[in-house]
Amino acid sequence: MSSKQGKVSTSKKAQSVAAPVLLHSITQLVTMHMPGWSGPRRGRALSDIGLVEDGAVLVSGGKLISVGTTREMRKDAWLKQHIREVVELDCTGKVVIPGFVDSHTHPVFAKPRLVDFEKRISGATYAEIAEAGGGIRSSLDGVRKESRQQLAERTLSAFREMSAYGTTTVEAKSGYGLNCESELKSLEAIKDAAAKWPGTVAATLLGAHVPPPEHKTDPDGYVDIIIKKMIPEVAKRKLAAYVDVFCEKGAFTPEQSMRILKAAKIHGLEVRAHVCQLTHAELQPLLLFHPASLDHMDFVSDEDVNELAKHDTVATLVPGANYFLATKSYPPARKLIDAGVPVALATDYNPGSSPTSSMPMVLSLACTQMKMSPAEALAAATINGAYAVGLGDRKGSVEPGKDADLAIFQLEDYREIAYWFGANHCVGTMMSGHWAE
Ligand code: NIG
Ligand code: FE
């Protein structure tokens, strides 16, 4: 059993945690502990999930204190000393995993896009709908009209829905306001929602989602606004940790994307990008900025797969978008993993291409459609998601000293999380020691 009893530091949110908790008799505990490995998991290491049978986890002050087997835990000195205050939870017949890290979501929008949904069912493509003024631009009016408070309420209910499926950390993007005022309002809504949710939120400015209609003939003018106004203001007010760009035909060119990522770095923000979702693009110009992740990757070239394997940039795959848009193929997960690229999985929760808050559904798609093993899918959805949002040292594994972020499933085998698609077997989610409501 490993222990780090002296090194517990509690965050402000976690200080309100009441009694320490002992989860014991866990039928399968997935720790993701991998001695000697640092950084995101790649290649064969992606299957190493640190499985403990009859496991136990001790939580105090919002942190993981000890992790091991139930037998080992009973000998733990800290536990013996504090046994009277500890609340015990028998997890017989349950699987416990590190909470999911959903490293790509767009939760700030006003309404579902049901007209687009029906148009696609009748045969229109995502790109055709976007060209005709639907798509991302059709979410714009709602976000511009709604108040910060209304958007915060919707965002909070999305976070709560996510934690009901076992998600404990979320990367949340703006991106439907598409002017300075509404992008800042969207980030403020994320901040307000994050303050009311016990999970962890990494906010991202996605002002560069698509040029808004008023800049249709002058997209570079909009890029100037992002660079000269949005990014400096977001950095000054610390409203986001990341800047994202949709580098795609009909959105932003590689040159425009580079200008945006460069400005982000100058202002001390980290970067990520949507790339190769609908068409191929070269990754080299984006890799110059050391993005935390490059997301979608459906049309990545073989040369870029090999290049990516040399970097710590995580390839975040979002098969929910492929499912919902009914694409002919899925991102080449096997090729990426076998080449040694660190791969993460995320929902891409958004009203246009992936309206799902369920990480278990994403795991199912990863296994059935991209031929990832259930173990690989779990690692991609936890520890590699954590690296994709720069939180690999705090999140994504069940190890002493890390945040007490756990998801409990009423299942006896971890493979069942991906197997039972469309059902929710998550029966408890702990975020920095707090249970989801
Ligand atoms: O990740 N590709 C760009 N952004 C989203 C879709 C957003 C939308 O259609 O509203 C995505 O799929
Ligand atoms: Fe997205």
Side-chain angles (χ1 to χ4, degrees), residues 1-6 58 64-67 73 76-78 400-401:
M1 179 168 65
S2 46
S3 197
K4 213 188 207 177
Q5 292 152 4
L58 184 57
L64 301 169
I65 301 268
S66 299
V67 178
M73 188 66 80
D76 186 89
W78 192 97

Side-chain angles (χ1 to χ4, degrees), residues 28-33 41 49-50 57 64 95-101 165-169 359 378-379 381-384 386 394-399 402-409 414 417 428-430:
Q28 285 191 344
L29 168 64
V30 173
T31 66
M32 295 295 161
H33 177 55
R41 305 286 158 84
I49 61 169
V57 181
L64 301 169
V95 172
V96 175
I97 66 166
F100 292 122
V101 179
Y165 285 104
T167 297
T168 54
T169 298
M359 285 295 280
L378 260 183
T382 55
I383 188 70
N384 277 8
R394 276 176 54 198
K395 308 282 182 187
S397 63
V398 182
E399 293 176 281
K402 282 204 167 181
D403 295 347
D405 290 354
L406 303 167
I408 306 176
F409 291 84
Y414 74 88
I417 297 172
T429 306
M430 180 186 275

Side-chain angles (χ1 to χ4, degrees), residues 104 106 109 113 116 120 126 135-137 139 173 175-176 206 209-210 246 248 251 274 277-278 295-296 318 321 325 348-354:
H104 181 145
H106 306 247
F109 56 87
R113 293 218 300 269
D116 290 6
R120 264 202 325 283
Y126 184 70
I136 295 166
R137 289 182 190 90
S139 289
K173 306 173 198 294
Y176 295 110
L206 180 56
H209 207 175
V210 288
F246 187 17
E248 185 60 71
H274 287 67
Q277 179 183 8
L278 308 171
D295 301 28
H296 286 278
V318 291
L325 299 181
D348 193 10
Y349 176 85
N350 78 72
S353 68
S354 190

